[in-house]
Amino acid sequence: RVHGGKQLNLTAASMAKSRFEYVKTFEQDFPMLPNTYLVVRVDGRSFHKFTTEHEFTKPNDTKGLGLMNDCALSVFREFPDVVLGYGQSDEYSFVLRRSSNLYSRRASKITTGIVSVFAASYVYLWPKWFLTKPLKYVPSFDGRIVAYPSDQNIRDYISWRQADCHINNLYNTCFWNLVLRSGMTEAEANKALQGTQAAQKNEILFQKFQINYNQESAMFRKGSILVRAKLKQQKQQQQQTAPDVSAPMVDSVPSASSTPDVEILHDDVIGQTFWDTYTILQ
Amino acid sequence: RVHGGKQLNLTAASMAKSRFEYVKTFEQDFPMLPNTYLVVRVDGRSFHKFTTEHEFTKPNDTKGLGLMNDCALSVFREFPDVVLGYGQSDEYSFVLRRSSNLYSRRASKITTGIVSVFAASYVYLWPKWFLTKPLKYVPSFDGRIVAYPSDQNIRDYISWRQADCHINNLYNTCFWNLVLRSGMTEAEANKALQGTQAAQKNEILFQKFQINYNQESAMFRKGSILVRAKLKQQKQQQQQTAPDVSAPMVDSVPSASSTPDVEILHDDVIGQTFWDTYTILQ
Amino acid sequence: RVHGGKQLNLTAASMAKSRFEYVKTFEQDFPMLPNTYLVVRVDGRSFHKFTTEHEFTKPNDTKGLGLMNDCALSVFREFPDVVLGYGQSDEYSFVLRRSSNLYSRRASKITTGIVSVFAASYVYLWPKWFLTKPLKYVPSFDGRIVAYPSDQNIRDYISWRQADCHINNLYNTCFWNLVLRSGMTEAEANKALQGTQAAQKNEILFQKFQINYNQESAMFRKGSILVRAKLKQQKQQQQQTAPDVSAPMVDSVPSASSTPDVEILHDDVIGQTFWDTYTILQ
Amino acid sequence: RVHGGKQLNLTAASMAKSRFEYVKTFEQDFPMLPNTYLVVRVDGRSFHKFTTEHEFTKPNDTKGLGLMNDCALSVFREFPDVVLGYGQSDEYSFVLRRSSNLYSRRASKITTGIVSVFAASYVYLWPKWFLTKPLKYVPSFDGRIVAYPSDQNIRDYISWRQADCHINNLYNTCFWNLVLRSGMTEAEANKALQGTQAAQKNEILFQKFQINYNQESAMFRKGSILVRAKLKQQKQQQQQTAPDVSAPMVDSVPSASSTPDVEILHDDVIGQTFWDTYTILQ
C-alpha cells in the first residue's frame, strides 16, 4: 500500500532520535550564584547607525527614550522578579531580587528571556511612539548578566551607570550644540571638547548657547529609574526630599502603557534618599 | 551664577564614576571553546498559549512556519558566520562555522544577539505573513548556545532535531485530526494515541482520515533547513538524488524576503546526501 | 661541521613555537565572583581503603586527625588569605577572606594550590605522627571551590560541616563499639542502628558501653577549627563562655608544627560565641 | 542523668544539618565539553627557589627530572584514562582520551585529583632519587585543565610544549655554562645571550665550551614522553625511523618504579613518526 511506503523511516526516526539524543549532554548550564543580586544589562547594537537612519533628535530623542522606557515596562510585566530598572541612552539594566530563583538562575535563560522581550517590544511599541514614521529595519540588542553579592555592590552598579549618564550627556549636549548651532564639524567639536572639565563644559553651554545645564530635562541628565510602586516605604514619604523640579518633564508624547504598579523616576540614585524611599534591597 | 549651581555635582560625577567602576570586574565572560561548531537554539516561550490566542491552524500553521523561516533569514543576513539553520515548530537552531570568532566567541553576546534579531523580526515581519490579523502581544523566545567538537556531533545534533520533528509531527497530525475531525476531546485523543507505534499512527491517519502521511507537506514532516547557496557543491549537483516531490509545497503565502544567497529546503538531513551536496562542515 | 647539523631544527623550533602557541587560546579561566567568601574543601579519595590498610584506630584515630590538622597548618602558612579552617574525618575546608585577590581569584589556581600543599604535607608529615609505621602508598585528595556571598552563608557552611561531624561521629562511635566490643558484624551493627535517633544512640552507648558521649574527645565530636590568633578580639576575651572542658584533649602525640599565629580549637561554631570571639567575617 | 545532658544538642544537630544543607546549592560544577581531549598541566610553584635551596644541578638535574617522571608514572597508575604524558623542566602535561568520562568530566575533580597524586608522589619518591639528601619543605604545584577538540589541536599542544623545551633548554645550557664555566654573573650571561639566534647559541656552546648541543641528553633537549605500551602499533614497528642515538641516556640513577605498561621516551613529537607509532589519538 502506498501510504505505508515510509513506515520504516518513521520507526527509524524514533530509533534515530534515541541514538542522537546524546548530543544533549553537550549543553553546559551556568547557574548564577545564589543569594546575589542579578543584573541583566541590555545594550543596543549599532545604535549610532540606527538612530541616524531613523533621524533621532540629537543629543537626546524624547520619543526614543520614552520607547526604551516602555520596553522596560514590558520586561517588568513579564518578569515579576525584576525589582529595579535603570535606563539611559541605548542601554537598560534590570535588577532581579537576590532571592530570585527564576529559571533556576540559569544565566542564558534569564538573559535571553529579558533581551527577547525588550527587543520584540521595541518593534511592537514603535508605532505608539513614532506614529507613521516607518521602522526601516529591526534594531538589535545584546545582553549580559552579572551577579552582585552585597547591597553596596548593587548600589554602586546603579550609581556607576548614572555617573556614566551624567558624563556622557554633558559631553553630548555640548557636542551637538557645537555641531548643530555653531556649525562645527563633528571633528572640530570633538577637538574643542577634548580635555575639558565638567565646569568648562557648563561654561561653554552657558556662554555660547545660554543653556543652564541643570535645567535640562532630568530624564536626559539622570536617566530613567523604574521601580515597583509596592516597594515604596509609606513611613518614609514625609521625609522625602523635595522632588527635582528643575526640569519638569512635560511629555508631548504618549504615556507609557499603563502598568499601575511601576513608577518611572528621573531622580538621583547615587545619594541615600532613593534607597531610603524604596526598599529595593533586602 | 545659577547655571553653575551643580558644577560640583558634575565633577563629583566624574570622580564617582571612577569610584564605582570596580563593579565592572564582577562581569564573567564565558568564551566558547575554539574550533568547535556553535549552535544557538532559539525556543518560543509559552507558544502553546501564543498560538492558541492567535488562532494558529493545528497541527501546523503554514503562515506561522513561514514567519519563523523569515525570522531565520534575518539572522542569516545579520550574522555571516551562520552557515546552517534548522527550524521546526516553535524552535530554530543556528550553526556557526567552527572557525567563527564572532564576538570573540563570548557565549552571552552571540546568544543574545541572535535571539534579539529573531524576536524583533517576528514582530516586524508579522504583518507580512498575517496581514491585518493583529498581534495581540509580543511573543518571546529564549536561547542557549552549545559547542560541538566534531563533524559527526554537529550532524547528529541536526539529525536529532529532525527526528524530533518527525515524531512530534506524526503524533500531532493524528492528535488534531482526532480532535477536529472525529470530535474527540483532547484527553480522549491523547489516550487513543498512548503507546502507539509509528506504523499504527500511519494506519489511523489512513483508515480514519484517508491521509497518506508521506504526502503531507515536507515542511511539516521534515522541518526547514536554511543554507547559504554558495556552499552548494557544483560538482555534486548531477549526483544528487531526485528531489522530494512527495509533497510539493505550494506557497499560498508571501515568499520570504529575497535574500538571494540563502536556500530554504525541506529535505532529509539524517542521511548522507544533504551533507554531500552542501559543504557545511569544514 | 658536526655541531651545526641540527641548527635548522632549532630555528625551526622557534618558528614552530609561535605556530603552535594558538593552543593557549583554548584555556578557559573561571574567576570566582569578587566580594564573596571562598571555601576550598579538600576531601580524601578512597580513604576508607587508605585508613584500613594503614590500620587507623576506629572510629577515630587521634594521630590521623592530628596529621590532618598539621597539613591544614601548612596551608595556613602558605596562603595568608586563608582565615579559617575546619576539619573532620578525611576532609578539610579552608575559608579565604572575601576581599582576597589570590591568583586573581582564578578557581583552578586557588584550588590546586591548596590541594597540592595539603597532599604533599600529608606525606611529608607522616613520619612525625606515625613514626616508623610505613606509608604504603600516597593518599590522594580532591578539592572544590565554592563562593559564599554573605556572612550568614559562610557561617551556615561551617555549621553544616560541624553538624555533619556531630551526626557521623555519634553514629560511628556506636557502630564501632558494637563491632569491636559487642562482636557484631558490620552488617549487624548497621542494622541495629538503622532508624535510631540521637537519644537512642546515646542510650546504647551508655547502657552497653558505659560511655557518656558528651565526655568523648571534643576533637572527635566537634572537629577542628583553625583560626589566625590575630583575629581574636581582645575586648571580647572576658566575655567568653567557659571553655569546653568536658573532654580535655591530652595529646599523647607530637604537637603540630609551631606556627605561633594559628590556634587549633575544638569548639562549637554553630552558636554565636565563636563568631563574637574571632573576627573572621568582615 | 549526666550522659543525657546534651541529647537535645544532638537532635538539634540533625535538625541543624538539614537547615544548613542549602549551602550545597552554591556549588557550581564545570563539566568539560564531551568528545574533546582533556589536558591537565601541572606546574611547579616557586620552583626556582625550590631547586636552588635543594642545590639542583644547573641547567638540568637528572635526578630531579627522573623524580618528575616517576611522579608522572604514579598519575598513569592512578588514572587509566591518561594516555599520554609530556614533561619538561618543572611542568608535566597529561592527556586524557577524548571519550573519557572520569568524574563525569568535572573540571575540578579531574584537575585536583591529578595534582594531588603528583604532589604527594614528589614527596613520597624523593628519597628514592635523592637518597639521604633531606627534603627541606614540601614543593607545591598548581594545575589547570584545557579541552582540545581535534587531533590536530592536541598534537599542536604537545608540539608547543616540546618547542618550548627546545628553546628554553638551549638558552639555559648557554646561560649556565657562561655562569659556571666562564665566570660571568647571571646578569652578564643574560646580556650576552640577549637577541641571539639558535645558530649563535650553538656556536657559543661549541666555540667556548666544546659542547655539541645535539649530543646533549635527549631528555634535556626533548623532554620526556610517557605512553601506554599497549598503544604501540605492531605493524608500524618495522617502519620506524632509527632511534635518536645522538645522546644515549645512561641512567646513573635508579630507574622509575616498574610499571610495565608505560614507556618513557625522549623522542621528537613534532614530526609524524611518533604519532604513527602510537595510537594516542582516536
Side-chain angles (χ1 to χ4, degrees):
Chain A
R1 283 185 314 217
V2 172
H3 78 277
K6 286 199 183 174
Q7 279 181 15
L8 277 177
N9 282 5
L10 282 155
T11 307
S14 296
M15 292 170 57
K17 198 187 165 195
S18 58
R19 178 157 57 90
F20 298 138
E21 236 156 11
Y22 80 91
V23 297
K24 244 184 104 56
T25 64
F26 288 64
E27 295 179 5
Q28 300 176 305
D29 272 332
F30 294 106
M32 301 301 288
L33 191 67
N35 196 25
T36 55
Y37 294 103
L38 301 181
V39 173
V40 174
R41 185 167 75 246
V42 177
D43 274 291
R45 294 170 61 229
S46 310
F47 254 57
H48 183 75
K49 174 170 177 286
F50 180 85
T51 54
T52 304
E53 295 235 359
H54 290 86
E55 298 172 320
F56 275 36
T57 303
K58 302 287 184 178
N60 291 288
D61 188 289
T62 303
K63 290 175 189 169
L65 293 173
L67 173 53
M68 290 288 284
N69 290 343
D70 218 357
C71 295
L73 279 173
S74 294
V75 171
F76 268 71
R77 226 173 278 124
E78 193 78 17
F79 299 97
D81 282 1
V82 170
V83 289
L84 181 67
Y86 177 77
Q88 58 131 328
S89 183
D90 61 353
E91 72 169 54
Y92 233 101
S93 298
F94 299 96
V95 180
L96 280 78
R97 61 194 177 80
R98 68 189 302 158
S99 57
S100 174
N101 200 30
L102 180 62
Y103 299 131
S104 308
R105 298 178 78 87
R106 275 182 289 166
S108 67
K109 291 279 266 186
I110 298 171
T111 315
T112 56
I114 286 178
V115 169
S116 154
V117 167
F118 197 94
S121 297
Y122 199 96
V123 179
Y124 190 73
L125 298 168
W126 175 272
K128 173 179 157 192
W129 291 84
F130 288 99
L131 308 175
T132 57
K133 178 188 273 196
L135 179 61
K136 295 182 182 171
Y137 59 88
V138 299
S140 77
F141 298 88
D142 60 42
R144 76 185 61 214
I145 189 166
V146 192
Y148 288 106
S150 75
D151 291 359
Q152 191 60 51
N153 292 151
I154 191 68
R155 276 190 59 169
D156 287 350
Y157 173 81
I158 295 293
S159 300
W160 175 48
R161 298 324 301 145
Q162 190 169 68
D164 185 75
C165 174
H166 269 295
I167 292 165
N168 289 340
N169 190 60
L170 177 59
Y171 183 92
N172 290 336
T173 305
C174 288
F175 178 85
W176 286 106
N177 274 292
L178 290 172
V179 169
L180 299 175
R181 296 170 60 184
S182 289
M184 285 188 182
T185 63
E186 299 197 4
E188 287 165 350
N190 244 322
K191 202 175 166 190
L193 293 172
Q194 221 167 2
T196 55
Q197 299 296 310
Q200 295 166 280
K201 293 196 191 76
N202 268 312
E203 206 57 32
I204 290 170
L205 284 176
F206 193 69
Q207 298 294 351
K208 292 207 188 211
F209 309 111
Q210 288 73 54
I211 290 174
N212 184 332
Y213 181 72
N214 293 311
Q215 287 172 4
E216 291 287 289
S217 158
M219 180 166 70
F220 300 166
R221 289 180 294 115
K222 297 184 174 167
S224 298
I225 301 118
L226 266 64
V227 275
R228 297 205 182 267
K230 65 180 175 186
L231 300 180
K232 190 162 194 168
Q233 302 229 47
Q234 293 312 314
K235 57 173 179 183
Q236 299 280 7
Q237 278 181 312
Q238 61 271 35
Q239 302 169 17
Q240 263 184 267
T241 56
D244 181 335
V245 292
S246 57
M249 184 186 156
V250 180
D251 287 336
S252 60
V253 291
S255 68
S257 309
S258 75
T259 308
D261 70 335
V262 178
E263 298 183 1
I264 305 185
L265 314 169
H266 310 295
D267 293 346
D268 173 82
V269 292
I270 298 180
Q272 184 65 28
T273 306
F274 173 77
W275 305 94
D276 285 342
T277 310
Y278 294 90
T279 51
I280 308 294
L281 311 175
Q282 47 191 340
Chain B
R1 280 182 317 215
V2 172
H3 78 278
K6 288 200 184 171
Q7 277 181 17
L8 277 177
N9 282 7
L10 281 153
T11 306
S14 296
M15 291 169 58
K17 197 187 165 195
S18 58
R19 178 157 58 90
F20 299 136
E21 236 157 11
Y22 80 91
V23 297
K24 243 185 104 56
T25 64
F26 288 63
E27 296 180 6
Q28 299 177 306
D29 272 332
F30 294 106
M32 302 300 289
L33 191 67
N35 196 25
T36 55
Y37 295 103
L38 301 182
V39 172
V40 175
R41 184 166 77 246
V42 178
D43 274 292
R45 293 171 61 230
S46 310
F47 253 57
H48 183 75
K49 174 169 178 285
F50 180 85
T51 55
T52 303
E53 295 234 359
H54 290 89
E55 299 172 320
F56 275 37
T57 303
K58 303 286 183 179
N60 291 287
D61 188 289
T62 304
K63 291 175 189 169
L65 294 173
L67 173 53
M68 290 288 285
N69 290 344
D70 218 357
C71 295
L73 279 173
S74 293
V75 171
F76 268 71
R77 228 174 275 125
E78 194 78 15
F79 299 97
D81 282 1
V82 171
V83 290
L84 181 67
Y86 177 77
Q88 58 130 330
S89 182
D90 61 354
E91 70 168 56
Y92 234 102
S93 298
F94 299 96
V95 180
L96 280 78
R97 60 195 177 79
R98 70 189 301 157
S99 57
S100 174
N101 199 31
L102 180 62
Y103 299 131
S104 307
R105 298 177 78 86
R106 276 182 289 166
S108 66
K109 293 279 266 186
I110 297 172
T111 314
T112 56
I114 286 178
V115 169
S116 154
V117 167
F118 197 93
S121 297
Y122 199 95
V123 179
Y124 190 73
L125 299 168
W126 175 271
K128 173 178 157 193
W129 292 84
F130 287 98
L131 308 174
T132 57
K133 177 188 274 196
L135 180 60
K136 295 182 182 172
Y137 60 86
V138 298
S140 78
F141 299 88
D142 60 42
R144 76 186 61 215
I145 189 165
V146 192
Y148 288 106
S150 75
D151 290 1
Q152 191 61 51
N153 292 151
I154 192 68
R155 276 191 59 169
D156 287 350
Y157 172 82
I158 296 293
S159 299
W160 175 49
R161 299 323 302 147
Q162 190 168 66
D164 184 76
C165 175
H166 269 294
I167 292 165
N168 289 340
N169 190 60
L170 177 58
Y171 182 92
N172 290 336
T173 304
C174 288
F175 178 86
W176 285 106
N177 274 291
L178 290 172
V179 169
L180 300 174
R181 295 171 59 185
S182 289
M184 284 188 183
T185 63
E186 298 199 5
E188 288 165 348
N190 243 322
K191 201 176 166 190
L193 293 172
Q194 220 168 4
T196 54
Q197 298 297 308
Q200 294 167 278
K201 293 197 192 75
N202 268 311
E203 205 59 29
I204 289 169
L205 285 175
F206 192 68
Q207 298 294 351
K208 293 208 187 211
F209 309 111
Q210 287 72 54
I211 290 173
N212 183 332
Y213 182 71
N214 293 310
Q215 285 172 5
E216 291 287 288
S217 159
M219 179 165 72
F220 300 165
R221 290 180 295 115
K222 297 182 175 170
S224 298
I225 301 119
L226 266 65
V227 275
R228 297 205 182 269
K230 66 181 175 186
L231 300 179
K232 190 162 195 168
Q233 302 228 49
Q234 293 312 313
K235 58 173 178 182
Q236 299 279 8
Q237 278 180 310
Q238 61 270 34
Q239 302 168 16
Q240 267 184 261
T241 55
D244 180 336
V245 291
S246 57
M249 183 186 156
V250 181
D251 288 335
S252 60
V253 291
S255 66
S257 309
S258 75
T259 308
D261 69 337
V262 178
E263 297 184 2
I264 304 184
L265 314 169
H266 311 294
D267 292 347
D268 173 82
V269 292
I270 298 179
Q272 184 65 28
T273 307
F274 172 77
W275 305 94
D276 285 344
T277 310
Y278 295 90
T279 51
I280 308 293
L281 311 175
Q282 46 190 342
Chain C
R1 283 181 315 213
V2 172
H3 77 277
K6 287 201 183 170
Q7 278 181 16
L8 276 178
N9 282 5
L10 281 154
T11 306
S14 296
M15 291 169 58
K17 198 186 165 195
S18 57
R19 179 158 57 89
F20 298 138
E21 236 156 12
Y22 80 91
V23 297
K24 243 184 105 55
T25 64
F26 287 64
E27 295 179 5
Q28 298 177 305
D29 273 331
F30 294 106
M32 301 300 288
L33 191 67
N35 196 26
T36 55
Y37 295 103
L38 300 182
V39 172
V40 175
R41 184 167 75 247
V42 177
D43 274 292
R45 294 170 61 230
S46 310
F47 254 57
H48 183 76
K49 174 170 177 284
F50 181 84
T51 54
T52 304
E53 295 235 357
H54 291 88
E55 300 171 321
F56 275 36
T57 303
K58 302 288 183 179
N60 291 288
D61 188 289
T62 303
K63 290 176 189 169
L65 293 173
L67 173 53
M68 291 288 284
N69 290 343
D70 218 358
C71 294
L73 280 173
S74 294
V75 170
F76 268 71
R77 225 172 278 122
E78 193 78 16
F79 299 98
D81 282 0
V82 170
V83 289
L84 181 67
Y86 177 77
Q88 58 132 328
S89 182
D90 61 353
E91 71 169 53
Y92 234 103
S93 297
F94 299 96
V95 180
L96 281 78
R97 61 193 175 82
R98 69 188 303 156
S99 57
S100 174
N101 200 29
L102 180 63
Y103 299 131
S104 308
R105 299 178 77 87
R106 274 182 289 164
S108 66
K109 292 280 265 188
I110 297 171
T111 314
T112 56
I114 286 178
V115 169
S116 154
V117 167
F118 197 94
S121 298
Y122 199 96
V123 179
Y124 189 72
L125 299 168
W126 175 271
K128 172 177 156 194
W129 291 83
F130 288 98
L131 308 175
T132 57
K133 178 188 274 196
L135 179 61
K136 295 182 182 173
Y137 60 87
V138 298
S140 78
F141 298 87
D142 60 43
R144 77 186 60 214
I145 188 165
V146 192
Y148 288 106
S150 76
D151 291 1
Q152 192 59 51
N153 293 150
I154 191 69
R155 276 191 59 169
D156 287 349
Y157 173 81
I158 296 294
S159 299
W160 176 48
R161 298 324 300 145
Q162 190 169 64
D164 185 75
C165 174
H166 269 295
I167 293 165
N168 289 340
N169 190 61
L170 177 59
Y171 183 93
N172 289 336
T173 304
C174 288
F175 178 86
W176 286 107
N177 274 291
L178 290 173
V179 169
L180 300 175
R181 295 172 60 186
S182 290
M184 285 187 182
T185 63
E186 299 199 3
E188 288 165 349
N190 244 321
K191 203 177 165 189
L193 293 172
Q194 221 167 0
T196 55
Q197 298 297 309
Q200 296 166 277
K201 293 197 191 76
N202 268 312
E203 206 58 31
I204 290 170
L205 284 175
F206 192 68
Q207 298 294 351
K208 294 207 187 212
F209 309 111
Q210 287 73 52
I211 290 173
N212 184 332
Y213 181 72
N214 293 309
Q215 286 171 6
E216 291 287 289
S217 158
M219 179 166 70
F220 299 165
R221 290 180 294 115
K222 297 183 175 169
S224 298
I225 301 118
L226 267 65
V227 273
R228 297 205 182 268
K230 66 180 175 186
L231 299 180
K232 190 163 196 168
Q233 300 228 49
Q234 294 312 315
K235 56 173 180 183
Q236 298 280 6
Q237 278 179 311
Q238 61 271 35
Q239 302 168 16
Q240 266 184 263
T241 56
D244 180 336
V245 291
S246 57
M249 183 186 157
V250 181
D251 288 335
S252 60
V253 291
S255 66
S257 309
S258 74
T259 307
D261 69 337
V262 178
E263 298 183 1
I264 304 185
L265 314 170
H266 310 295
D267 293 346
D268 173 81
V269 292
I270 298 180
Q272 184 64 29
T273 306
F274 172 78
W275 305 94
D276 285 343
T277 311
Y278 295 90
T279 51
I280 308 293
L281 311 176
Q282 48 190 337
Chain D
R1 284 181 316 213
V2 173
H3 78 277
K6 287 199 184 174
Q7 278 180 16
L8 277 177
N9 283 5
L10 281 154
T11 306
S14 295
M15 290 169 58
K17 197 186 167 196
S18 58
R19 179 158 56 92
F20 298 138
E21 236 156 12
Y22 81 91
V23 298
K24 245 185 103 55
T25 63
F26 288 64
E27 296 180 4
Q28 299 177 305
D29 272 333
F30 293 106
M32 302 299 289
L33 191 67
N35 196 25
T36 55
Y37 294 104
L38 300 182
V39 173
V40 175
R41 184 166 76 247
V42 178
D43 273 292
R45 294 171 61 230
S46 310
F47 254 57
H48 184 76
K49 172 168 178 286
F50 180 86
T51 55
T52 303
E53 296 236 357
H54 290 88
E55 299 172 321
F56 275 37
T57 303
K58 301 288 185 178
N60 291 288
D61 187 289
T62 303
K63 290 175 188 170
L65 293 173
L67 172 54
M68 290 288 284
N69 290 343
D70 218 357
C71 295
L73 279 172
S74 293
V75 171
F76 268 71
R77 228 173 275 125
E78 193 78 15
F79 298 98
D81 282 0
V82 170
V83 290
L84 180 67
Y86 177 77
Q88 58 131 329
S89 183
D90 62 354
E91 71 169 55
Y92 233 102
S93 298
F94 299 96
V95 180
L96 280 79
R97 59 193 178 80
R98 69 188 301 158
S99 58
S100 174
N101 199 30
L102 180 62
Y103 299 131
S104 306
R105 298 179 78 88
R106 274 182 290 165
S108 67
K109 292 280 265 186
I110 298 172
T111 315
T112 56
I114 287 179
V115 168
S116 154
V117 167
F118 197 94
S121 297
Y122 200 95
V123 179
Y124 190 74
L125 299 168
W126 175 272
K128 173 177 158 194
W129 292 84
F130 287 99
L131 307 174
T132 57
K133 177 187 275 197
L135 179 61
K136 296 182 183 173
Y137 60 88
V138 298
S140 78
F141 298 88
D142 60 43
R144 77 185 61 214
I145 188 165
V146 192
Y148 288 106
S150 76
D151 291 0
Q152 191 60 51
N153 292 151
I154 191 68
R155 276 191 60 170
D156 287 350
Y157 173 82
I158 295 294
S159 299
W160 175 49
R161 300 323 302 147
Q162 190 169 66
D164 184 74
C165 173
H166 269 295
I167 292 166
N168 289 340
N169 189 61
L170 177 59
Y171 182 93
N172 290 336
T173 305
C174 287
F175 177 86
W176 285 106
N177 274 290
L178 289 172
V179 169
L180 300 175
R181 296 171 61 186
S182 288
M184 284 188 183
T185 64
E186 298 198 5
E188 287 166 349
N190 243 322
K191 202 176 167 190
L193 293 172
Q194 218 167 4
T196 54
Q197 298 297 308
Q200 295 167 279
K201 293 196 191 73
N202 268 313
E203 205 59 31
I204 289 170
L205 284 175
F206 192 69
Q207 298 295 351
K208 294 210 186 211
F209 311 111
Q210 287 72 53
I211 290 172
N212 184 332
Y213 182 72
N214 293 310
Q215 287 173 4
E216 290 288 288
S217 158
M219 180 166 71
F220 300 165
R221 289 179 295 114
K222 296 182 175 169
S224 298
I225 300 117
L226 266 65
V227 274
R228 299 206 182 267
K230 65 181 176 185
L231 299 180
K232 191 163 193 169
Q233 301 229 48
Q234 293 312 312
K235 58 174 178 180
Q236 298 279 7
Q237 278 180 312
Q238 62 271 35
Q239 302 169 16
Q240 267 183 263
T241 55
D244 180 336
V245 291
S246 58
M249 182 187 157
V250 180
D251 288 336
S252 61
V253 290
S255 67
S257 309
S258 76
T259 308
D261 69 336
V262 179
E263 297 184 1
I264 303 184
L265 314 169
H266 310 293
D267 292 346
D268 173 82
V269 293
I270 298 179
Q272 185 64 28
T273 306
F274 172 78
W275 305 94
D276 284 344
T277 310
Y278 294 89
T279 51
I280 308 292
L281 311 175
Q282 46 193 341

